[in-house]
């Protein structure tokens, strides 16, 4: 496998695993949410992330790539750096920041010249859902701000944003060799 | 009494018999991963109608510390 394909295989494996991890996280949260609008959206969110992992698996299969086992998902780094969210507001604040990072990353990827059409279509399909994820979470956070206060919600978002910046810079550094085929599109955060 | 009820909830969630949940055990040892820990904390809040925050958990390592925290939250939530 040439270097370009090796890198493509790695990043697709990484996306796939990250989507699986997202699904597992929302499965846990959706399982114990009391009934209500948040539960409904969370369950759809969980189903979406699970489908996204399937889209990547399918795309890799189509391109003849075998997924690589990824040691750590991006989400693990979040919990390490930003701490465990323990109530719904904190969970949604973290997810708000994370989903925006996902959209940014997929946008970087879309800017690779002569991007493989299978990858392009996969990202397009996923990003439609990711945009809805940001939307419903923003809405839910607005509602929760009535209970927690806007200040508290914003502080939590800022807290996770700071963690996100640090994690992303570390991620780029750590995987420099694997990301260099898309380095021209990776603007500093 | 309340402490036993809190430990009972930990037992229900983790499926570890309550008598085997030691006070000095680390809460991370009761669960397989951090996602499961989030679920356990959400269930505790729902069951006892309390609210926890990230900052509350900063000093919590052991079962006894978690039980104490939940007990204090229950007390604080009760009308005087
Ligand atoms: Fe996703
Ligand atoms: Fe998402």
């Amino acid at each position: 496998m040439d270097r370009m394909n090796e890198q493509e295989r790695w990043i697709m494996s990484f996306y796939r695993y990250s989507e699986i991890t997202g699904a597992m996280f929302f499965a846990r949260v959706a399982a114990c949410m009391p009934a209500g609008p948040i539960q409904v959206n969370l369950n759809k969110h969980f189903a979406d992330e699970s489908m996204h992992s399937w889209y990547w698996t399918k795309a890799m299969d189509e391109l003849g790539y075998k997924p690589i086992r990824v040691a750590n998902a991006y989400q693990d780094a979040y919990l390490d750096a930003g701490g465990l969210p323990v109530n719904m507001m904190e969970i949604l604040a973290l997810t708000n920041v994370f989903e925006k990072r996902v959209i940014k990353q997929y946008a970087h990827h879309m800017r690779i010249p002569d991007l493989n059409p299978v990858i392009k279509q996969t990202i397009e399909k996923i990003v439609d859902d990711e945009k809805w994820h940001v939307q419903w979470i923003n809405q839910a956070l607005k509602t929760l701000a009535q209970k927690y206060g806007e200040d508290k919600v914003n502080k939590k978002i800022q807290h996770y944003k700071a963690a996100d910046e640090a994690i992303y810079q570390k991620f780029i550094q750590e995987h420099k060799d694997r990301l260099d085929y898309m380095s021209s599109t990776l603007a500093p955060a | 009494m309340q402490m036993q009820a809190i430990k009972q909830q930990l037992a229900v969630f983790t499926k570890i018999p309550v008598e085997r949940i030691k006070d000095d055990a680390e809460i991370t040892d009761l669960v397989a991963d951090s996602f499961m820990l989030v679920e356990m904390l959400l269930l505790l809040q729902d069951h006892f109608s309390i609210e926890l925050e990230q900052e509350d958990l900063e000093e919590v390592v052991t079962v006894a510390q978690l039980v104490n925290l939940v007990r204090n939250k229950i007390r604080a939530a009760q009308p005087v």
Side-chain angles (χ1 to χ4, degrees), chain A residues 5-20:
Chain A
N5 288 353
E6 198 52 67
Q7 293 195 354
E8 212 163 65
R9 179 182 172 214
W10 182 82
I11 194 81
M12 289 172 88
S13 301
F14 180 83
Y15 291 155
R16 173 181 175 270
Y17 187 63
S18 175
E19 298 287 2
I20 289 178

Side-chain angles (χ1 to χ4, degrees), chain A residues 25-26 29 32-33 42 84-98 137 141 144 156 160, chain B residues 38-39 42 45:
Chain A
F25 178 67
F26 284 109
V29 180
C32 64
M33 260 296 93
L42 255 172
L84 214 63
V86 301
N87 61 44
M88 196 34 62
M89 184 273 280
E90 292 174 353
I91 288 171
L92 294 183
L94 179 151
T95 310
N96 170 286
V97 174
F98 178 73
I137 288 169
L141 281 171
L144 289 174
K156 226 4 111 179
Y160 279 114
Chain B
V38 172
E39 186 182 0
L42 287 171
Q45 294 172 78

Side-chain angles (χ1 to χ4, degrees), chain A:
Chain A
M1 199 182 285
D2 66 27
R3 187 164 163 73
M4 157 88 182
N5 288 353
E6 198 52 67
Q7 293 195 354
E8 212 163 65
R9 179 182 172 214
W10 182 82
I11 194 81
M12 289 172 88
S13 301
F14 180 83
Y15 291 155
R16 173 181 175 270
Y17 187 63
S18 175
E19 298 287 2
I20 289 178
T21 309
M24 292 195 298
F25 178 67
F26 284 109
R28 286 279 176 202
V29 180
C32 64
M33 260 296 93
I38 289 187
Q39 187 198 55
V40 173
N41 286 330
L42 255 172
N43 209 142
K44 168 75 167 71
H45 195 138
F46 154 51
D48 284 352
E49 303 300 7
S50 173
M51 283 305 285
H52 297 169
S53 72
W54 155 238
Y55 297 154
W56 282 120
T57 306
K58 194 163 145 280
M60 292 187 81
D61 190 52
E62 269 174 50
L63 296 176
Y65 292 146
K66 286 195 174 74
I68 302 164
R69 268 190 77 87
V70 178
N72 273 312
Y74 201 72
Q75 290 93 331
D76 298 332
Y78 263 69
L79 298 187
D80 287 345
L84 214 63
V86 301
N87 61 44
M88 196 34 62
M89 184 273 280
E90 292 174 353
I91 288 171
L92 294 183
L94 179 151
T95 310
N96 170 286
V97 174
F98 178 73
E99 295 287 339
K100 285 179 182 163
R101 170 61 66 198
V102 170
I103 291 173
K104 256 193 209 166
Q105 175 59 28
Y106 283 145
H108 285 315
H109 206 127
M110 286 294 272
R111 288 201 288 272
I112 294 176
D114 304 318
L115 184 62
N116 186 306
V118 174
I119 297 180
K120 187 171 177 278
Q121 282 155 20
T122 304
I123 292 179
E124 279 168 352
K125 209 159 34 170
I126 291 177
V127 165
D128 276 346
D129 291 337
E130 305 294 8
K131 283 181 183 159
W132 175 74
H133 295 169
V134 172
Q135 235 173 51
W136 89 258
I137 288 169
N138 277 344
Q139 205 46 51
L141 281 171
K142 259 188 207 151
T143 312
L144 289 174
Q146 291 163 13
K147 174 180 167 191
Y148 292 89
E150 231 171 87
D151 197 47
K152 207 168 196 173
V153 173
N154 287 337
K155 266 196 190 134
K156 226 4 111 179
I157 293 174
Q158 288 313 317
H159 167 80
Y160 279 114
K161 259 191 189 159
D164 173 73
E165 288 294 337
I167 296 159
Y168 192 66
Q169 289 312 319
K170 201 172 152 229
F171 169 77
I172 292 178
Q173 279 307 313
E174 213 174 294
H175 301 293
K176 227 179 184 163
D177 298 348
R178 288 158 164 158
L179 293 167
D180 69 354
Y181 88 110
M182 58 188 295
S183 61
S184 57
T185 74
L186 283 175

